[in-house]
Amino acid sequence: AQSVSQHNHHVILSEAASLELGCNYSYGGTVNLFWYVQYPGQHLQLLLKYFSGDPLVKGIKGFEAEFIKSKFSFNLRKPSVQWSDTAEYFCAARRPEYGGATNKLIFGTGTLLAVQP
Amino acid sequence: KAGVTQTPRYLIKTRGQQVTLSCSPISGHRSVSWYQQTPGQGLQFLFEYFSETQRNKGNFPGRFSGRQFSNSRSEMNVSTLELGDSALYLCASSLDLSSGGVGGDEQFFGPGTRLTVL
């Protein structure tokens, strides 16, 4: 079955620490990858996405992610976190259906990040 | 530009009842998807609609259904509610630029409808 795995369920960091959240997906072939963030009380927002091309993707608020095809990974990174980065982070994958079309996203279980001032 | 709106924001129902949730996509967006979010299962895809047609469906029982209207607004219905249906139901819309709609555009999520089944 298609799946997306996020191995870190809870992460606690101090401000200015570096962040790396892991994401692995389970299927080969063409895959589009996304990181979403959900700040407390707010909507899911797109941080960044990878469709093709440069495997290092830069998103909003200083976040970046690296697509490593051989490892089926799409880890999210930020060199220096701030208290305002406290949120839940979701990795998601979309597999373009051959001969079809879809926006269907498969989400990971999410990582709750708490940044201590 | 107004974002995705969902109504109602909160709903309390009892087992056995049925419920209808509404989603208004961003103006001009043609694709609407629905997701269920629970602490135990996370975010799970329910179904998606494009141009009033269901384009894809997740692994949910037939009690979960939906539709899309000509103005792209969408509704989802859950019949014979069970306790396990308590969840945050999220709607997402996207532009789907390509003719015929091939998907893959950024999805914009609404605030969700919090459904509690007692």
Side-chain angles (χ1 to χ4, degrees):
Chain A
Q2 302 168 5
S3 70
V4 175
S5 302
Q6 291 181 244
H7 306 296
N8 315 104
H9 298 294
H10 290 92
V11 173
I12 301 173
L13 295 172
S14 299
E15 275 193 315
S18 64
L19 169 73
E20 181 159 3
L21 301 182
C23 173
N24 288 91
Y25 58 95
S26 68
Y27 33 81
T30 303
V31 64
N32 304 148
L33 296 161
F34 306 81
W35 275 98
Y36 282 86
V37 61
Q38 192 170 33
Y39 297 103
Q42 294 189 28
H43 309 181
L44 270 172
Q45 299 173 40
L46 181 68
L47 272 179
L48 46 80
K49 61 185 178 185
Y50 173 79
F51 279 22
S52 63
D54 188 343
L56 186 61
V57 179
K58 295 194 184 298
I60 61 171
K61 305 188 181 188
F63 286 91
E64 64 178 32
E66 185 175 12
F67 170 62
I68 303 179
K69 190 173 181 178
S70 61
K71 295 185 178 180
F72 296 88
S73 71
F74 189 57
N75 292 355
L76 181 71
R77 299 195 294 246
K78 187 171 184 179
S80 175
V81 295
Q82 302 172 317
W83 176 79
S84 58
D85 293 324
T86 294
E88 191 159 17
Y89 292 80
F90 295 91
C91 181
R94 185 186 82 91
R95 190 178 184 191
E97 302 293 332
Y98 179 75
T102 183
N103 280 314
K104 174 184 175 181
L105 294 174
I106 307 296
F107 281 90
T109 51
T111 297
L112 208 53
L113 171 66
V115 179
Q116 298 174 331
Chain B
K1 192 183 248 188
V4 178
T5 57
Q6 293 186 244
T7 56
R9 293 292 310 279
Y10 301 91
L11 206 48
I12 299 175
K13 292 285 188 178
T14 56
R15 277 181 301 174
Q17 287 186 308
Q18 68 103 27
V19 67
T20 299
L21 312 181
S22 180
C23 170
S24 293
I26 292 171
S27 177
H29 283 195
R30 301 189 295 169
S31 169
V32 172
S33 299
W34 289 89
Y35 295 84
Q36 182 196 64
Q37 186 176 19
T38 60
Q41 300 296 320
L43 279 147
Q44 292 188 291
F45 173 79
L46 278 156
F47 27 63
E48 72 169 314
Y49 289 87
F50 176 79
S51 292
E52 302 179 65
T53 301
Q54 188 179 86
R55 186 160 66 179
N56 214 329
K57 190 177 188 306
N59 296 324
F60 279 82
R63 299 184 297 107
F64 291 81
S65 63
R67 60 178 176 169
Q68 187 181 34
F69 302 96
S70 57
N71 61 359
S72 294
R73 192 177 69 84
S74 178
E75 288 182 346
M76 67 163 282
N77 184 276
V78 188
S79 62
T80 320
L81 283 166
E82 300 177 359
L83 295 178
D85 297 332
S86 294
L88 181 66
Y89 289 88
L90 296 172
C91 168
S93 76
S94 68
L95 195 54
D96 251 312
L97 287 170
S98 306
S99 64
V102 295
D105 297 332
E106 177 180 349
Q107 292 187 63
F108 294 83
F109 283 81
T113 294
R114 173 77 60 188
L115 171 65
T116 302
V117 182
L118 302 176

